[in-house]
Amino acid sequence: MEKAMTSKCFMILVVFGVLGYAKAQGLELGFYDTSCPKAEKIISDFVKEHIRNAPSLASPLLRMHFHDCFVRGCDASILINSTSANNNTEKAGNPNKTLRGFDFIDRVKAAVEAECPGVVSCADIIALTARDAVGVIGGPFWNVPTGRRDGLISNTSEANTQIPGPTFNFSSLQTSFANKGLNVTDLVLLSGAHTIGVSHCSSFSKRLYNFTGKGDEDPSMDSFYIANLKKLKCTVANDTTTIVEMDPGSFRTFDLGYYKNLLKRRGLFQSDAALTTNSASKNLIVSLVNSPLEKFLQEFSLAMEKMGRIQVKTGSSGEIRKNCAVVNS
Ligand code: HEM
Ligand SMILES: *[C@@H]1O[C@H](CO)[C@@H](O)[C@H](O)[C@H]1NC(C)=O
Ligand SMILES: *[C@@H]1O[C@H](CO)[C@@H](O)[C@H](O)[C@H]1NC(C)=O
Ligand SMILES: *[C@@H]1O[C@H](CO)[C@@H](O)[C@H](O)[C@H]1NC(C)=O
Ligand SMILES: *[C@@H]1O[C@H](CO)[C@@H](O)[C@H](O)[C@H]1NC(C)=O
Ligand SMILES: *[C@@H]1O[C@H](CO)[C@@H](O)[C@H](O)[C@H]1NC(C)=O
Ligand SMILES: *[C@@H]1O[C@H](CO)[C@@H](O)[C@H](O)[C@H]1NC(C)=O
Ligand SMILES: *[C@@H]1O[C@H](CO)[C@@H](O)[C@H](O)[C@H]1NC(C)=O
Ligand SMILES: CC(=O)N[C@H]1CO[C@H](CO)[C@@H](O)[C@@H]1O
């Protein structure tokens, strides 16, 4: 009898222990409700005030969240500046050469620090800022559970190898996402972020000018669209400065334009076009295009919440950085 009781108590302890552990490992909505109750409002007010006047910043802030999460998890490692001791942080990596919005994140952080110094992580600030910025341009809302901690390490070569590139084919994209715990549904939905924002010609000009090294075009891209891009936008093969709307005509609106373009063979990157080369992925695109916009927005939101949980540091791992560009000394 006594033995049974003891083992029952033990069981209860184990169960609660595991739950407590799971909570410590996880994120929660309103993590700062007691430690810095105004944090989320300070962030959303700041974002509303500034993104209204600079709506083109919403897309790079969304992209920054993605790049952060794909290297060492969502831990703000993307924000760390190179120093003489480590001059090769993620920022210096190839995919980051076209990232924007670092100074904006610094300003959001400063506004939060003024209220509660040393409490709110840069990683949570990236996640909340991306969500709120997309909201200002009329895009979907998603939950951002918080409690992420900031990482101590940032490494160029990891950014170069772990962030998928615009020339990736379907299987490489699938592998890259699977490495982060994301499946093909997530891949298709999250790629839908390309309904907003711009790209430099250099990210896809091989498709227009020299696809296989013989001065040829990419046969999988609509030749009329190629001709247009060459005539009006990327007029020379080595253009590194011109930018092109990824969803022409509605590049500031979260709509189904991106997926409709894919079905017209007008995805800008090979990685966009690749999503129509796999039957499961293509079926999902067709289904999104044939459903009300609301369905895409809802599913995109769930995928964003999932992306925001990639390899997060919680509890006592990592730190709360004082300055987002610098690891605390
Ligand atoms: C699936 C693999 C992906 C690849 C290969 C990819 C690649 C790229 C490239 C090459 C650019 C243009 C950079 C430039 O030339 O300026 C870009 C822009 C962008 N990407 Fe992706 N991306 C991917 C997935 C994502 C995801 C998952 C998100 C967010 C959830 C995202 C959000 C964006 C946004 C918003 C822009 C526009 C940025 C701006 O306006 O400055 N991308 N992406
Ligand atoms: C980090 O680097 C950016 C330029 O990439 C610069 O504007 C910023 O002042 C730097 N921050 C610190 C704290 O060094
Ligand atoms: C970066 O550091 C390496 C040695 O770690 C050095 O050879 C290189 O010149 C540095 N580059 C810059 C731009 O400081
Ligand atoms: C960066 O990561 C690469 C590959 O994982 C590793 O070989 C290299 O030593 C790392 N560099 C630094 C400065 O930690
Ligand atoms: C996809 O790209 C990878 C890496 O470049 C390559 O190894 C693979 O053969 C390609 N797969 C297909 C189906 O083309
Ligand atoms: C991908 O994961 C989501 C849950 O995160 C699930 O709803 C969806 O069915 C999965 N898709 C595939 C193709 O496994
Ligand atoms: C096309 O690519 C080939 C092979 O990479 C290269 O030798 C050639 O110079 C390129 N042509 C142009 C116009 O860039
Ligand atoms: C770009 O290519 C043109 C020829 O098409 C050449 O005249 C020019 O010097 C090149 N510019 C750069 C920056 O390489
Ligand atoms: C914001 C930032 O640090 N951008 C860097 C990206 O990489 C290029 C090339 O290494 C640097 O010149 C930029 O400063």
Side-chain angles (χ1 to χ4, degrees), residues 166 194 204 207-208 218 220-222 225-226 229 245-248 257-276:
H194 289 174
F204 59 89
R207 301 186 79 194
L208 314 183
D218 182 345
S220 74
M221 194 175 197
D222 174 13
Y225 189 41
I226 290 185
L229 286 166
E245 298 173 12
M246 295 198 292
D247 177 7
Y258 168 75
Y259 296 115
K260 289 178 181 166
N261 286 334
L262 294 186
L263 298 179
K264 288 190 264 186
R265 308 197 309 144
R266 291 182 174 199
L268 211 45
F269 310 136
Q270 285 158 267
S271 58
D272 296 319
L275 301 177
T276 63

Side-chain angles (χ1 to χ4, degrees), residues 229-304:
L229 286 166
K230 283 164 113 168
K231 190 169 159 219
L232 301 174
K233 297 284 182 183
C234 312
T235 54
V236 290
N238 56 6
D239 183 325
T240 55
T241 52
T242 306
I243 52 173
V244 177
E245 298 173 12
M246 295 198 292
D247 177 7
S250 67
F251 78 115
R252 282 184 190 160
T253 317
F254 243 88
D255 58 14
L256 295 168
Y258 168 75
Y259 296 115
K260 289 178 181 166
N261 286 334
L262 294 186
L263 298 179
K264 288 190 264 186
R265 308 197 309 144
R266 291 182 174 199
L268 211 45
F269 310 136
Q270 285 158 267
S271 58
D272 296 319
L275 301 177
T276 63
T277 63
N278 167 273
S279 63
S281 163
K282 182 163 184 190
N283 288 344
L284 178 53
I285 293 166
V286 170
S287 142
L288 288 167
V289 165
N290 291 327
S291 304
L293 172 61
E294 206 48 42
K295 180 166 190 278
F296 163 53
L297 299 183
Q298 276 168 10
E299 297 201 350
F300 178 82
S301 296
L302 293 176
M304 282 303 298

Side-chain angles (χ1 to χ4, degrees), residues 63 66-67 94-95 98 160 163-170 172-173 194 199-207 211 218 246 267-275:
R63 186 173 181 229
F66 161 54
H67 282 211
N94 285 327
T98 51
N160 287 339
I163 295 172
T167 61
F168 275 27
N169 60 29
F170 186 81
S172 302
L173 288 171
H194 289 174
S199 166
H200 290 76
C201 291
S202 41
S203 293
F204 59 89
S205 58
K206 267 192 81 168
R207 301 186 79 194
F211 189 57
D218 182 345
M246 295 198 292
L268 211 45
F269 310 136
Q270 285 158 267
S271 58
D272 296 319
L275 301 177

Side-chain angles (χ1 to χ4, degrees), residues 30-205:
F31 180 83
Y32 299 109
D33 280 356
T34 48
S35 57
C36 186
K38 292 196 189 138
E40 294 204 19
K41 179 152 166 43
I42 290 171
I43 294 170
S44 74
D45 285 351
F46 189 94
V47 169
K48 271 183 205 144
E49 182 188 340
H50 292 91
I51 298 296
R52 260 189 210 124
N53 300 325
S56 66
L57 256 187
S59 52
L61 290 169
L62 176 59
R63 186 173 181 229
M64 186 184 289
H65 185 29
F66 161 54
H67 282 211
D68 183 35
C69 293
F70 262 59
V71 189
R72 293 187 170 270
C74 316
D75 70 344
S77 53
I78 186 83
L79 302 179
I80 297 175
N81 277 0
S82 292
T83 59
S84 50
N86 178 9
N87 66 13
N88 292 309
T89 60
E90 288 170 34
K91 267 189 184 178
N94 285 327
N96 298 322
K97 289 176 188 163
T98 51
L99 270 187
R100 296 178 289 143
F102 292 102
D103 54 325
F104 189 82
I105 296 288
D106 284 343
R107 286 158 65 206
V108 178
K109 171 72 169 174
V112 175
E113 287 294 293
E115 172 77 13
C116 341
V119 174
V120 181
S121 70
C122 299
D124 280 337
I125 288 176
I126 295 178
L128 291 163
T129 300
R131 189 269 310 273
D132 293 343
V134 166
V136 174
I137 61 163
F141 175 90
W142 58 91
N143 286 324
V144 177
T146 40
R148 295 169 188 78
R149 310 233 335 147
D150 298 324
L152 307 176
I153 298 170
S154 180
N155 178 329
T156 307
S157 62
E158 290 175 352
N160 287 339
T161 53
Q162 300 190 26
I163 295 172
T167 61
F168 275 27
N169 60 29
F170 186 81
S171 57
S172 302
L173 288 171
Q174 186 175 12
T175 305
S176 158
F177 274 60
N179 287 342
K180 304 297 163 186
L182 300 175
N183 63 28
V184 168
T185 313
D186 302 317
L187 166 64
V188 172
L189 290 167
L190 293 171
S191 295
H194 289 174
T195 184
I196 58 168
V198 294
S199 166
H200 290 76
C201 291
S202 41
S203 293
F204 59 89
S205 58

